[in-house]
Amino acid sequence: MKTVLVWMLLISSTSCHTTDVTRPLSTETTSLDVATETTLDDMFTSSPVHLSQRHTTGSVTMTGHTDLDPQKGLHHDNLKGRTSSRSSHLEILPVFFPHVLPGIIQAGIDINSYNVSDDCRVELHHYAVDLQLRKDWAINMYDATGKQGPGLMKGSVTWYGNYDQCINVRHSLTSHGTGSDVMKEIQAQYCSASFDSPGWLEDYIGDQHLPFLVHLPHLTLDICIPSGCLEDDLTTIINTYKNQSQTNISLVRITCLENLKLVDDAAAIFSVCVLVSIAILAFLGSMVTLIVKLTTPKGEATTTTLVGFFSSRGGVFSMARRNSIRFSRWGSTHSKRESNHYRLDSVSSDSPSTVGQPDIGELSTNVTETCFTEGEATHVTSREEGHKNQLQYVDELPVTSTSIRTEHLGRKQNAQAEEAQLKAGRRKLGGVITDVLLCFSFPTNVTSVLGEGNTNLLFCLSGVRFLSISWIVMGNCISFIHKAPDSVENSVTGVELAQSFWFQAVINCTFAADTFFILSGTLLSYTFIRGIEKKTAAGEKFKVTSKFIILFYLHRVIRIWPCYLVVVMIFTNLLPYMGIGPRWQYATTAISQCKDHWWANVFFFSNFYKADEMCMSWTYYLVNDFQFYLISPVILIPLVRLPPLGFTLLVLLVITQVVSVGILNNKINGNMLRMDHGYFSDVYAKPYCRVGVFAIGMMLGYILNKVGRRVYLRKMPLLLGWLTSMCIMTFVVYVTYLENRAGGSDWTARQRALYEALARPAWGLAVAWVIFACCIGQGGYIDKFLSWNFFLPLCRITYGIYLLHPLVIIVVLGETRSPLFLSSLNLWLFYVSILVTATTLALILISCVEQPFIRLEKLIKTIV
């Protein structure tokens, strides 16, 4: 009934405003009389054809003009008393017709009635007068101003203008026009006027029972006005006109885009100098590499094994599974089941392999590590010395103390001659400088990332790593769009997509972060325990000294900091200058948090200091992972010396996560879809709410080291393990459909707390099974897929993708000239473009920053 009444009122209002007006244009107007006001209103409601007629003929006859704005009708025809009884039904209409542009034009004509700056008086008056005279520059400014479009009920509450058209407007005033002897140029600026959203619109969207809240922004209208009018001037003009027209919309703020200049920012200049220095080092290193290559005789050129994109064993589209190390000892007796126990031995059979052997000083297990290597788990037996570099069978005999001691001594003797040449005091300064420059060689580093390496890599983890980062990028694309509804045409539709069954896999992408915690814990415990066992078997006693602890942490910091500091520097100091657009001010808002407390990120405690305003919020994972690394010796040392105590501590960590999440989430009553109301800062980013999954990874690393080489599962246990793992993964990801689907019932606080507390440890156990099954050679087609050569180089740049992809999303959304329309196809195209761009930039970051520091670390160890 209300809808019918509104339409009847609109029809009656239309009939009351049908006029026949023929009025010549005036060249000079100093006050807003009734006739001029009607002409301006006709101008605002005319079609483009009418504007063209006015421009060519100088006058226009309007017949049958329809004015759907009731406030204009009240103003012109004095119908206020007649419509007072219907105000309750008409109060929503000003939402569709905000009085912004008419107020600005009226202020320009009757400028002396407004308390604005002198520059604004002159420029705005000329704009209003020249707009009536149909001057090109004024028409361009008017045309570049945003107009309300369709889709308000779907969340289209931001009405874009034409940014590029606006900022290119220039108009020169003569000295006579400025009232002084100085000529003046009017330049347009792009501003946004934001108004309070009407309560009825929020109620309407809230009544749709969407799976999570829609971030409905303020009603925003983009305005193109002369640059002489400051934000305070516009606020005064709009509020004054609003009071005169009795509009029920409250102005929230005026935001004008600033033309930032990098030369005025000392921090930005410093950041540019750092990046230029890195580029110069990369260039010099490349030149030195070229000179060395040209001056080195062919017979003395060293050869390296190439895998991944440059692999000569089938290329990128082959499965690298045949080159992976398997722990199973059943190869000789179960050749049909374990026919993949072969590898290419890239070194001579009479010298032990020195590739990919982690020692006690190289225990980095963060996301910067390329892939998991196990160079000592097996021994290659050469059938004939002449068959070097041929396909050979892997002897699956257990590793013994004698074999490890022999291998260790052989490796030490083999490297002794080379190390002697690099010792301090025996190396010329020029040689050291050359070696340092070679560490920054871009071609060498790119080759190392894309293909250089040993053939005894555990390839399955490369697939797990890249698929996980791809899942995270997909989820963050949706998350960033959801948090920037003013860049979206239909933000309500984006939330409605979450009601579909298959879309649960997108919105539950946070489980991919738990996969990285599993990988990090696994690699840390395995390499640590394996390195200690090697040294113990070689006759070296393991001691926990201050030097050992310092090197343990220092290696980690060296691996994390270079790329991390560069990205923090770019985000904080350079991102404001990396783009410009209608919504760019929202990108600069996120940057202000980093300018305030970037140091909390650098020293890895940003999840405790102002966690709700965390700089680069996606780095919560890196902060948590480093905090877990800090406490890891307390767990790893008992695992080596007293395994029952170590496992007890790991179980306690899992219990800590379950209890903490259960208690906190029951209080906050939030989940991964509702990051507001303290869930992110109080639950999601806290280490005691995530450490249990990391502990499960450490358990897996210990098991792989101790029993992985002696395990072979029969069909029933193997099938049961795979079914359980797949069912757990599917359940924790898609069970949210019961709540998110259309007509679904909301979970209680207890149900949500139970799910949040148990889902992540359950996911961690399921992923741990997948890794374990693939490591023992019983992964089947899943192992074949995860061991695809294509994944190997991509897994080496996942750290760069993780750091950079949010910057790419922010730049794209901030620079958009028109709102993004959400649909399944558009979201997919948006995601693919972000992933490809982030991957390309990550390759540059890893090759120019991370790889040089890895090589420098090894060079320093060799020299010192």
Side-chain angles (χ1 to χ4, degrees):
M1 181 61 69
K2 289 183 179 181
T3 304
V4 175
L5 181 57
V6 169
W7 280 109
M8 291 176 63
L9 292 173
L10 285 174
I11 295 173
S12 63
S13 176
T14 302
S15 62
C16 292
H17 290 79
T18 302
T19 59
D20 188 356
V21 180
T22 304
R23 188 172 287 108
L25 291 173
S26 174
T27 58
E28 291 185 12
T29 306
T30 58
S31 63
L32 184 63
D33 56 10
V34 176
T36 305
E37 183 180 2
T38 306
T39 302
L40 288 174
D41 288 338
D42 290 344
M43 180 197 309
F44 300 142
T45 56
S46 300
S47 65
V49 177
H50 294 154
L51 283 177
S52 176
Q53 291 173 346
R54 293 187 182 201
H55 183 69
T56 56
T57 64
S59 63
V60 61
T61 301
M62 296 278 300
T63 303
H65 166 62
T66 302
D67 188 356
L68 295 181
D69 190 344
Q71 296 293 341
K72 292 179 182 179
L74 296 177
H75 185 70
H76 299 315
D77 299 332
N78 196 21
L79 298 178
K80 181 177 180 180
R82 186 170 17 168
T83 59
S84 60
S85 63
R86 295 175 290 186
S87 61
S88 61
H89 301 292
L90 292 177
E91 63 182 359
I92 68 171
L93 294 181
V95 174
F96 296 87
F97 304 95
H99 294 72
V100 177
L101 193 55
I104 293 175
I105 303 302
Q106 177 177 332
I109 295 174
D110 192 16
I111 196 63
N112 293 325
S113 302
Y114 292 82
N115 184 21
V116 295
S117 61
D118 293 338
D119 288 340
C120 186
R121 291 177 188 275
V122 175
E123 296 183 10
L124 194 59
H125 177 72
H126 280 277
Y127 169 52
V129 172
D130 286 358
L131 184 60
Q132 294 184 78
L133 296 175
R134 303 299 185 269
K135 297 292 184 66
D136 289 342
W137 74 276
I139 292 178
N140 273 305
M141 284 184 60
Y142 172 79
D143 184 53
T145 297
K147 283 74 175 182
Q148 194 253 322
L152 181 69
M153 312 303 285
K154 288 295 184 180
S156 180
V157 295
T158 302
W159 305 322
Y160 280 63
N162 192 314
Y163 172 80
D164 298 289
Q165 179 181 348
C166 176
I167 63 175
N168 289 325
V169 172
R170 300 286 189 278
H171 178 63
S172 298
L173 295 178
T174 62
S175 58
H176 175 72
T178 60
S180 64
D181 296 334
V182 181
M183 295 185 63
K184 183 178 182 61
E185 182 182 67
I186 297 179
Q187 181 178 350
Q189 67 175 341
Y190 198 88
C191 299
S192 298
S194 299
F195 301 86
D196 277 333
S197 301
W200 66 265
L201 181 60
E202 296 178 354
D203 293 340
Y204 171 80
I205 295 176
D207 291 340
Q208 298 184 41
H209 301 290
L210 297 174
F212 48 93
L213 294 177
V214 177
H215 292 286
L216 191 66
H218 297 291
L219 296 177
T220 302
L221 179 69
D222 292 346
I223 311 168
C224 185
I225 62 167
S227 58
C229 293
L230 305 177
E231 295 178 357
D232 292 339
D233 296 331
L234 288 176
T235 302
T236 300
I237 292 171
I238 294 175
N239 284 332
T240 301
Y241 186 82
K242 179 182 73 69
N243 295 332
Q244 292 175 355
S245 59
Q246 299 181 356
T247 304
N248 295 326
I249 303 179
S250 298
L251 179 67
V252 177
R253 64 178 176 270
I254 296 289
T255 305
C256 296
L257 296 182
E258 300 179 4
N259 187 16
L260 301 177
K261 295 183 180 179
L262 188 144
V263 294
D264 299 331
D265 191 341
I269 295 176
F270 171 78
S271 302
V272 170
C273 293
V274 172
L275 296 181
V276 170
S277 301
I278 294 174
I280 292 175
L281 288 174
F283 174 78
L284 294 177
S286 302
M287 293 299 99
V288 173
T289 300
L290 180 61
I291 294 173
V292 171
K293 184 176 181 181
L294 293 176
T295 56
T296 301
K298 293 183 178 180
E300 299 180 10
T302 59
T303 59
T304 57
T305 305
L306 297 180
V307 293
F309 288 136
F310 303 142
S311 174
S312 60
R313 295 174 299 281
V316 69
F317 296 106
S318 66
M319 299 299 171
R321 185 170 181 259
R322 66 172 179 266
N323 297 323
S324 300
I325 294 303
R326 298 294 183 268
F327 290 128
S328 177
R329 61 180 295 181
W330 301 83
S332 58
T333 57
H334 298 273
S335 58
K336 291 184 179 180
R337 293 172 179 164
E338 300 295 329
S339 59
N340 59 335
H341 291 274
Y342 294 87
R343 70 180 174 94
L344 287 174
D345 187 21
S346 58
V347 296
S348 59
S349 59
D350 55 349
S351 63
S353 174
T354 61
V355 182
Q357 298 179 4
D359 56 46
I360 205 65
E362 294 182 343
L363 301 177
S364 177
T365 57
N366 58 29
V367 291
T368 65
E369 291 295 334
T370 55
C371 288
F372 179 40
T373 62
E374 171 45 29
E376 303 84 48
T378 55
H379 303 281
V380 179
T381 57
S382 176
R383 303 183 187 277
E384 295 182 21
E385 188 173 354
H387 290 100
K388 297 177 182 179
N389 299 324
Q390 301 296 322
L391 191 65
Q392 301 171 1
Y393 191 73
V394 177
D395 185 5
E396 298 287 348
L397 293 176
V399 178
T400 62
S401 300
T402 303
S403 64
I404 292 181
R405 184 186 298 273
T406 303
E407 184 179 357
H408 177 76
L409 294 176
R411 183 173 68 253
K412 187 174 182 179
Q413 294 173 0
N414 191 41
Q416 189 174 17
E418 181 180 355
E419 292 178 359
Q421 298 177 0
L422 301 177
K423 289 292 183 182
R426 299 186 182 184
R427 190 70 185 270
K428 295 182 179 180
L429 179 62
V432 175
I433 295 177
T434 300
D435 289 337
V436 171
L437 291 177
L438 286 174
C439 292
F440 288 87
S441 172
F442 186 74
T444 302
N445 291 330
V446 170
T447 303
S448 178
V449 172
L450 294 181
E452 183 179 315
N454 56 317
T455 57
N456 47 1
L457 298 170
L458 189 61
F459 280 76
C460 70
L461 291 193
S462 61
V464 174
R465 190 183 299 278
F466 181 72
L467 293 178
S468 297
I469 196 64
S470 300
W471 193 11
I472 289 175
V473 173
M474 177 181 293
N476 280 340
C477 286
I478 304 300
S479 176
F480 276 70
I481 290 175
H482 177 62
K483 294 176 182 178
D486 46 358
S487 300
V488 179
E489 184 175 347
N490 53 337
S491 56
V492 176
T493 302
V495 180
E496 289 175 343
L497 291 174
Q499 294 179 324
S500 66
F501 177 78
W502 297 109
F503 209 76
Q504 306 306 306
V506 178
I507 59 181
N508 289 325
C509 70
T510 56
F511 286 111
D514 295 283
T515 301
F516 276 107
F517 284 131
I518 289 290
L519 293 175
S520 182
T522 301
L523 295 172
L524 175 60
S525 63
Y526 183 85
T527 54
F528 185 92
I529 297 172
R530 185 64 179 172
I532 290 178
E533 288 183 350
K534 282 177 54 183
K535 289 187 175 294
T536 302
E540 299 180 16
K541 187 177 180 180
F542 170 65
K543 295 181 179 180
V544 181
T545 62
S546 57
K547 179 182 178 181
F548 169 78
I549 297 297
I550 292 174
L551 292 177
F552 181 79
Y553 291 132
L554 183 61
H555 176 77
R556 182 72 160 190
V557 170
I558 292 175
R559 288 297 179 93
I560 293 179
W561 258 3
C563 288
Y564 187 37
L565 294 181
V566 167
V567 173
V568 171
M569 180 187 68
I570 293 174
F571 184 83
T572 306
N573 300 330
L574 295 181
L575 188 62
Y577 308 97
M578 295 174 63
I580 191 67
R583 307 274 78 81
W584 191 252
Q585 67 269 23
Y586 298 99
T588 58
T589 302
I591 296 170
S592 63
Q593 298 177 354
C594 282
K595 289 184 176 295
D596 179 50
H597 46 271
W598 57 269
W599 44 271
N601 284 60
V602 172
F603 296 103
F604 305 105
F605 64 94
S606 57
N607 55 345
F608 286 102
Y609 181 79
K610 293 185 178 180
D612 54 338
E613 299 178 1
M614 184 184 297
C615 167
M616 296 171 56
S617 60
W618 61 94
T619 60
Y620 79 92
Y621 165 81
L622 193 60
V623 174
N624 276 273
D625 188 69
F626 187 82
Q627 291 168 350
F628 299 157
Y629 194 86
L630 289 178
I631 66 171
S632 61
V634 180
I635 311 296
L636 293 172
I637 295 174
L639 275 178
V640 174
R641 295 182 171 177
L642 191 60
L645 176 59
F647 263 88
T648 301
L649 294 175
L650 291 174
V651 172
L652 288 177
L653 290 180
V654 177
I655 295 175
T656 299
Q657 173 174 339
V658 173
V659 175
S660 299
V661 174
I663 295 175
L664 294 175
N665 198 81
N666 189 43
K667 177 182 178 182
I668 296 174
N669 196 19
N671 61 24
M672 63 191 67
L673 301 180
R674 300 171 177 88
M675 290 296 184
D676 301 329
H677 309 297
Y679 176 81
F680 175 81
S681 58
D682 295 338
V683 180
Y684 191 78
K686 286 297 186 287
Y688 43 80
C689 294
R690 310 302 293 269
V691 69
V693 181
F694 185 84
I696 293 174
M698 295 181 71
M699 293 180 191
L700 175 62
Y702 180 88
I703 294 172
L704 288 176
N705 182 77
K706 291 299 182 180
V707 302
R709 294 184 297 272
R710 301 186 298 272
V711 171
Y712 178 79
L713 299 177
R714 299 188 180 276
K715 287 185 177 180
M716 287 306 297
L718 184 65
L719 179 61
L720 181 61
W722 278 109
L723 287 178
T724 304
S725 175
M726 294 297 105
C727 288
I728 289 176
M729 289 183 176
T730 303
F731 178 80
V732 299
V733 171
Y734 289 102
V735 71
T736 53
Y737 177 69
L738 299 177
E739 181 184 23
N740 297 333
R741 63 180 178 177
S745 58
D746 293 338
W747 288 356
T748 64
R750 184 170 299 178
Q751 289 175 326
R752 188 168 289 122
L754 182 65
Y755 171 75
E756 289 293 313
L758 298 179
R760 298 187 185 281
W763 174 270
L765 290 173
V767 172
W769 164 261
V770 174
I771 296 174
F772 178 77
C774 292
C775 286
I776 65 175
Q778 293 183 279
Y781 289 103
I782 295 178
D783 185 23
K784 287 184 178 180
F785 174 71
L786 296 177
S787 300
W788 188 16
N789 256 355
F790 179 78
F791 291 135
L792 175 60
L794 294 176
C795 88
R796 291 171 171 171
I797 59 176
T798 53
Y799 185 42
I801 298 174
Y802 154 75
L803 289 175
L804 290 174
H805 78 272
L807 276 69
V808 179
I809 298 174
I810 291 173
V811 171
V812 171
L813 292 179
E815 274 220 326
T816 181
R817 281 356 188 218
S818 58
L820 174 67
F821 182 82
L822 295 183
S823 66
S824 297
L825 178 60
N826 287 347
L827 287 175
W828 176 256
L829 295 176
F830 181 83
Y831 159 68
V832 171
S833 63
I834 295 296
L835 181 61
V836 172
T837 305
T839 302
T840 303
L841 296 176
L843 176 62
I844 299 174
L845 178 69
I846 297 300
S847 300
C848 293
V849 179
E850 182 188 63
Q851 285 294 320
F853 279 91
I854 292 176
R855 294 178 182 274
L856 281 174
E857 182 188 12
K858 295 179 180 179
L859 179 64
I860 292 173
K861 285 182 178 180
T862 305
I863 295 177
V864 178

